[in-house]
Amino acid sequence: MSGETFASVWDALEDDPAKARKLEMQSLLMIALSDLVKSWETTQKDAAARLGVSQPRLNNLLQGKFNKFTLDALLKMAVRGGLDVALKIKGPKKPKA
C-alpha cells in the first residue's frame, strides 16, 4: 500500500477531478432518490410513476446500478420527486505555501 490519502472515494477511483466530482454528484443523487422512494412507503410501480420512469428503471436505481444512470437522468428524477437540488460552487483552491 502506498499510504496515499484522498479527499473522497471518487478521487481514489478517478484521476480526472472533473470526472470524480461528476461521480460524486451521481452517487449523492442516487442515495437521495433511494431514501426518498423508501420514505414514500409505496410500491415500486407507483414510485416509478411519480418519478416518470419505468418500474425496472426504478429497480435499477434502488439496486445501486450506478452505470445505468447519467447525471442528467438522476437530476430529472430528483426534480420530479420533489427534491430541491442545488449546486454549490466554491472558489479555486489556494496553493499550499
Side-chain angles (χ1 to χ4, degrees), residues 19-86:
K19 288 181 181 178
R21 294 295 77 73
K22 181 180 173 227
L23 292 171
E24 183 179 19
M25 286 189 276
Q26 283 178 267
S27 69
L28 291 170
L29 278 167
M30 287 186 76
I31 291 166
L33 282 163
S34 292
D35 290 347
L36 177 67
V37 168
K38 290 172 188 169
S39 77
W40 289 339
E41 296 180 357
T42 188
T43 64
Q44 281 192 16
K45 181 180 177 184
D46 289 342
R50 286 176 77 170
L51 296 177
V53 297
S54 67
Q55 184 277 325
R57 183 96 167 123
L58 177 62
N59 190 53
N60 284 336
L61 174 87
L62 297 175
Q63 295 297 318
K65 295 187 178 177
F66 197 84
N67 63 332
K68 297 209 177 245
F69 295 92
T70 64
L71 185 57
D72 186 52
L74 292 166
L75 180 59
K76 285 178 185 177
M77 286 192 293
V79 171
R80 288 176 188 148
L83 293 177
D84 183 18
V85 180

